[in-house]
Amino acid sequence: MDSLNLSVIIDTNRDKPLNNITYHSSDLYDVPMALVIILSCCYGTISLVAVVGNMCVLLIVAVSRRMRTVTNYFIANLAVADIVIGLFAIPFQFQAALLQRWVLPPFMCAFCPFIQVMSVNVSIFSLAAIALERYRAVMHPIKAKTAQGSAKWIIVFIWIFSALFGVPYAMALRVTMVFDPDTGDMTKPFCQNTGIPGDIWKVYNYILVSLQYMVPLCLISLVYVNIGLKLRDTQMPGNKEGVRDNTVLKNRKK
């Protein structure tokens, strides 16, 4: 049998992965060095712009007292999440996907995906919080505004809730050795799920996708559609008087 088609298994001295996924050497590919350099520059630029740009947002909110509103607190929270993604997710996850091997310290195999999931959750939930705050302001303008203290507690809850949904990544992912066609042995370090059974891992990822995309998408869309309908049906101050004056003017001409 061709060695390039041999199934990748874990060393018998190690525990077998619980996700029941068998990797083939053909599943892992080599990327030309020129492409690695180009993509590294592109992703590095994206990461740098994300960090610097969002730091500017935080600086504006922190320095200007006038900018310290509930909505801007949520925007600042969104900026913090984007900074974390730019620092810990984009550079490290990119290199793992591009190089098809894990060359970083082993603890980062679980740490980086956990940070990525948590930060994405924080970003999505912050956008949902902004949408709900705008909905409250438009649909119920007479009611008391959300206090800044309450907004801060909401932000704390968002981070805790987001971190909890990232814990399975921290529990599951570990660096294991897979088949390396260059050496013909189990010498290629690869970050993969070894701690959670495959069926449970699949269900968890379905739930995660629902929480990160489907539920927020439906919620935010519904909120902004209702805001749009409310604003469309609301007459601007002075419109009624303008209609009345036009009617009176037409009657005079008759």
Side-chain angles (χ1 to χ4, degrees), residues 210-231:
S210 299
L211 286 174
Q212 286 183 338
Y213 297 102
M214 302 307 299
V215 174
L217 176 63
C218 294
L219 175 64
I220 293 174
S221 299
L222 181 63
V223 165
Y224 281 117
V225 166
N226 279 277
I227 290 175
L229 294 175
K230 176 69 174 180
L231 295 177

Side-chain angles (χ1 to χ4, degrees), residues 39-50:
L39 292 179
S40 297
C41 292
C42 292
Y43 275 86
T45 302
I46 293 173
S47 181
L48 180 63
V49 171

Side-chain angles (χ1 to χ4, degrees), residues 199-213:
D199 293 339
I200 298 177
W201 185 248
K202 186 179 296 184
V203 171
Y204 161 71
N205 279 280
Y206 285 148
I207 295 174
L208 190 62
V209 169
S210 299
L211 286 174
Q212 286 183 338
Y213 297 102

Side-chain angles (χ1 to χ4, degrees), residues 160-222:
I160 294 175
F161 188 72
S162 301
L164 289 176
F165 272 92
V167 167
Y169 269 87
M171 296 172 56
L173 298 182
R174 295 293 183 272
V175 177
T176 58
M177 294 298 174
V178 300
F179 181 77
D180 189 345
D182 294 332
T183 63
D185 203 354
M186 310 288 289
T187 56
K188 176 179 283 190
F190 197 74
C191 181
Q192 61 180 337
N193 172 25
T194 63
I196 297 179
D199 293 339
I200 298 177
W201 185 248
K202 186 179 296 184
V203 171
Y204 161 71
N205 279 280
Y206 285 148
I207 295 174
L208 190 62
V209 169
S210 299
L211 286 174
Q212 286 183 338
Y213 297 102
M214 302 307 299
V215 174
L217 176 63
C218 294
L219 175 64
I220 293 174
S221 299
L222 181 63

Side-chain angles (χ1 to χ4, degrees), residues 61-145:
V61 175
V63 171
S64 176
R65 186 179 297 273
R66 185 172 57 87
M67 297 296 292
R68 297 176 191 174
T69 63
V70 171
T71 299
N72 286 342
Y73 280 151
F74 291 136
I75 293 176
N77 190 51
L78 180 63
V80 172
D82 290 342
I83 289 173
V84 173
I85 291 176
L87 289 176
F88 297 104
I90 295 177
F92 304 121
Q93 294 297 96
F94 159 73
Q95 67 83 27
L98 192 61
L99 300 180
Q100 288 293 285
R101 64 171 61 238
W102 192 260
V103 298
L104 300 173
F107 82 92
M108 297 188 74
C109 168
F111 176 75
C112 291
F114 164 74
I115 292 296
Q116 179 180 354
V117 171
M118 180 182 68
S119 301
V120 170
N121 287 341
V122 170
S123 297
I124 297 298
F125 298 154
S126 296
L127 289 173
I130 292 171
L132 292 174
E133 173 61 21
R134 290 174 176 172
Y135 177 85
R136 187 212 57 76
V138 173
M139 305 298 289
H140 307 286
I142 307 300
K143 290 185 177 181
K145 296 181 179 180

